[in-house]
Amino acid sequence: MTDLEKFNDKIANNIKIEPKDWMPDDYRKHLQRQMSQHAHSEIIGMQPEGNWVLRAPTMRAKVILLAKIQDEAGHGLYLYSAAETLGKSRDTYIEELQTGKAKYSSIFNYPTLSWADMGAVGWLVDGAAIVNQVSLQRTSYGPYARSMVRICKEESFHQRQGYEIIATLAKGTPKQKEMAQDALNRFWWPSIMMFGPHDADSYRSSNAMEWKIKLESNDALRQSFIDKTVPQAELLGLTIPDPDLKWNEERGSYDFGEINWEEFWNVVKGNGPCNKQRIKHHVKAHENGKWVREAANAYAKKQKEIKKAS
Ligand code: BYC
């Protein structure tokens, strides 16, 4: 069997591809792009939430929010480590992020304007991420699939903490309910945009499906998220900001209105409300952390020397 035949055989039989296995160049490149974008999203995604740590309404809320943000850092680290097994260094991935060569999820380019937005991020953004990531647990590249298993467990805690914040506000004073509705109004459409373009315009999907990197299409995952989330909003007495949203008995799913693709592509291309600020903050934090990386590297080097000498 040729290398390519062996690779195709593993994909056909759902055997994971591991770092030292032969893989087609395009498969490797596809994963380097997707996994690094995924890692960048986790890291950049800390910023909109970091904005609220010092303004959390109670000590309990603050501790939970801090734990969630730390989890996101951890997700970024697992994903960078997994992406490094594809033969590209973390430094290179980070340089690609900072120079605009690599993308990260469009959702993190929207501002978080009120405490209710912490609820909307957990409930909707983490909720959308889980729907996508549960399917990625079965992706064909071993290190990516395994990182997803742990990430999904933590994301379900995040989704619940967000729902709890929104539920508390929705059941509170009229002003608090208004805050919850306002957050839903602003985060609903960007959350359903997270799943990417419609299948017909998803130019990366055909290879990704063939290689079983992606197991379900953008539209299938989006529909699944909408079907799960609408009843949760109804339970809280909140209104999804989509006049065309309607249960379709025949399909057993919700029909929904047209997504504003012009807005989506504008944000993806770097022109959303916060794109420039997010990268600026990342560059600043990275520069400020240089001494920590240098100290950690020097320590690791010294430990290696000691081990070698003993
Ligand atoms: N935003 O052919 P398509 C989290 C790009 S973080 C930006 O459908 P694909 C969290 C796409 O990259 C979880 N760009 O592509 C963290 C491609 O452009 P390039 C984040 C987008 O790859 C902190 C082009 O559009 N999750 O949970 O088949 C706090 C065409 O798209 C987006 C992941 O990263 C977008 N939304 O499908 C709270 C999941 N959508 O690269 C929460 C992993 C599309 O050719 N990624 N584009 O220049 C994926 O599953 C897939 O990459 C996507 C896109 C579904 C996102």
Side-chain angles (χ1 to χ4, degrees):
M1 260 207 240
T2 65
D3 284 338
L4 181 59
E5 283 166 346
K6 275 190 220 157
F7 171 85
N8 286 336
D9 194 56
K10 281 189 191 152
I11 298 286
N13 290 296
N14 296 321
I15 298 169
K16 298 284 178 238
I17 306 298
E18 296 298 339
K20 287 186 179 157
D21 293 347
W22 183 90
M23 60 187 87
D25 264 358
D26 287 346
Y27 176 86
R28 185 185 298 278
K29 283 195 190 122
H30 192 108
L31 281 167
Q32 285 173 335
R33 175 191 64 86
Q34 177 169 327
M35 289 168 67
S36 65
Q37 283 183 7
H38 198 158
H40 300 327
S41 305
E42 301 282 358
I43 298 297
I44 296 288
M46 293 159 72
Q47 291 187 32
E49 293 181 305
N51 187 29
W52 282 90
V53 172
L54 296 180
R55 285 177 283 161
T58 63
M59 182 58 92
R60 177 181 178 273
K62 183 173 183 160
V63 169
I64 296 174
L65 182 62
L66 267 175
K68 180 195 189 289
I69 298 172
Q70 277 185 332
D71 284 351
E72 307 301 355
H75 299 174
L77 299 187
Y78 314 148
L79 282 161
Y80 282 128
S81 298
E84 281 192 304
T85 64
L86 292 159
K88 212 188 224 192
S89 72
R90 189 177 306 195
D91 285 348
T92 309
Y93 286 127
I94 288 173
E95 193 189 314
E96 288 175 352
L97 167 70
Q98 294 187 342
T99 54
K101 199 175 158 210
K103 297 186 167 78
Y104 57 88
S105 183
S106 47
I107 189 75
F108 302 116
N109 293 307
Y110 291 86
T112 45
L113 304 175
S114 80
W115 173 251
D117 290 8
M118 293 302 93
V121 169
W123 173 35
L124 303 174
V125 177
D126 286 85
I130 299 174
V131 170
N132 179 309
Q133 290 170 169
V134 162
S135 133
L136 284 173
Q137 289 180 44
R138 291 178 290 125
T139 194
S140 58
Y141 188 54
Y144 195 19
R146 289 190 286 274
S147 69
M148 282 300 119
V149 174
R150 179 155 174 187
I151 289 178
C152 280
K153 284 190 185 142
E154 293 176 351
E155 298 285 31
S156 46
F157 154 66
H158 298 168
Q159 195 268 353
R160 279 174 215 179
Q161 71 88 34
Y163 194 71
E164 188 195 69
I165 293 173
I166 284 285
T168 305
L169 291 170
K171 289 181 210 141
T173 63
K175 179 77 194 144
Q176 286 172 323
K177 185 166 182 188
E178 205 179 292
M179 279 170 71
Q181 182 63 53
D182 174 60
L184 173 58
N185 291 349
R186 282 179 293 105
F187 275 90
W188 176 253
W189 289 102
S191 298
I192 64 173
M193 288 176 194
M194 281 175 75
F195 295 93
H198 281 314
D199 295 350
D201 300 316
S202 168
Y203 52 85
R204 297 283 191 183
S205 274
S206 132
N207 276 344
M209 292 281 196
E210 191 185 317
W211 290 322
K212 295 189 183 163
I213 290 175
K214 211 165 169 170
L215 291 127
E216 286 177 79
S217 78
N218 296 0
D219 284 330
L221 292 169
R222 182 170 14 244
Q223 184 73 62
S224 156
F225 169 71
I226 292 172
D227 292 347
K228 276 189 180 71
T229 312
V230 173
Q232 295 171 357
E234 281 170 357
L235 200 68
L236 299 178
L238 297 177
T239 309
I240 303 280
D242 177 358
D244 296 322
L245 188 80
K246 199 167 171 257
W247 179 251
N248 182 324
E249 197 64 51
E250 215 171 289
R251 290 198 309 118
S253 266
Y254 284 92
D255 290 336
F256 54 95
E258 189 50 42
I259 293 169
N260 183 344
W261 293 113
E262 199 184 321
E263 175 182 326
F264 171 76
W265 288 115
N266 197 39
V267 174
V268 168
K269 285 181 188 146
N271 303 316
C274 301
N275 296 58
K276 290 181 183 64
Q277 180 192 330
R278 299 289 185 240
I279 294 299
K280 202 171 143 204
H281 282 182
H282 190 279
V283 170
K284 190 170 164 222
H286 196 65
E287 280 167 3
N288 287 344
K290 188 165 175 257
W291 70 271
V292 181
R293 289 191 299 281
E294 282 171 358
N297 284 337
Y299 178 78
K301 196 173 160 213
K302 192 80 197 157
Q303 289 299 308
K304 244 189 209 166
E305 281 168 15
I306 293 170
K307 208 172 162 196
K308 214 171 162 192
S310 63

